[in-house]
Every structure is written in C-alpha cells, then in structure tokens.
Amino acid sequence: GRDNAEAAERFRQVNSAHNALLHVGLRRMYDLQLKRKEAQDRCEQNEREERKGLRGWLSGPRGALLAGAFAGLAAVSAIVTGVFAGETAL
C-alpha cells in the first residue's frame, strides 16, 4: 500500500541522484542548482533577519524608550534654543 508507494518514490529519487552523480554534466547542473537554492535561502533569511531586527528595535520597550529619548532631546533643544535667543525658558 502506502509504504510500497513511498519506497518506490524514494527508490526513484535515489536512482535519479545516482545517475546525476555518474554523469558529469548532470552533476554540474545539480551542483549549480543546489548552490543557487542555498544562496536564495541565505538571501531570504538575511532579509527576514533585517526586517525582524528593525521591527524589533522600533517595537516594544526599546522603541518607546527611543521615542522618549528623541522627544526629550527635542524639548531640551527647544529650551536651549529659547535661552540662547533671549527668551525665558520656563
């Protein structure tokens, strides 16, 4: 039944791989295809990590802290600018 079908499929896969290894041209094509797939997987993983890293920094407690720090810098900048311009700070 099912085990025989799975075994037959596995045998076809192994036989195909064996034939590819025996034939130089097929082996090279297989190697190139494998390298392309690995490079594509690495590229996709890097893109996921970059997106996750940026979102991770801007979300959650760090994002709130970063937003607060920028707001504080803007407030201090406004006060300092006002003081140097001769206005009353508070």
Side-chain angles (χ1 to χ4, degrees):
R2 181 178 165 203
D3 290 337
N4 287 339
E6 289 177 4
E9 176 59 27
R10 183 68 181 144
F11 179 79
R12 281 191 290 276
Q13 291 173 345
V14 169
N15 193 36
S16 175
H18 181 260
N19 287 334
L21 291 174
L22 290 177
H23 191 275
V24 175
L26 288 176
R27 184 173 59 229
R28 286 184 182 152
M29 286 188 337
Y30 177 81
D31 289 344
L32 288 173
Q33 181 183 12
L34 185 61
K35 287 179 183 180
R36 181 182 174 276
K37 176 69 175 137
E38 290 171 348
Q40 184 178 8
D41 290 345
R42 278 193 312 270
C43 184
E44 290 172 358
Q45 179 66 28
N46 288 340
E47 288 174 355
R48 281 192 299 274
E49 288 176 5
E50 287 174 5
R51 284 192 303 258
K52 184 176 82 175
L54 182 58
R55 274 192 227 128
W57 260 97
L58 297 178
S59 65
R62 279 184 262 167
L65 182 63
L66 191 58
F70 281 125
L73 284 173
V76 168
S77 177
I79 292 170
V80 169
T81 303
V83 168
F84 284 122
E87 299 175 6
T88 307
L90 295 174

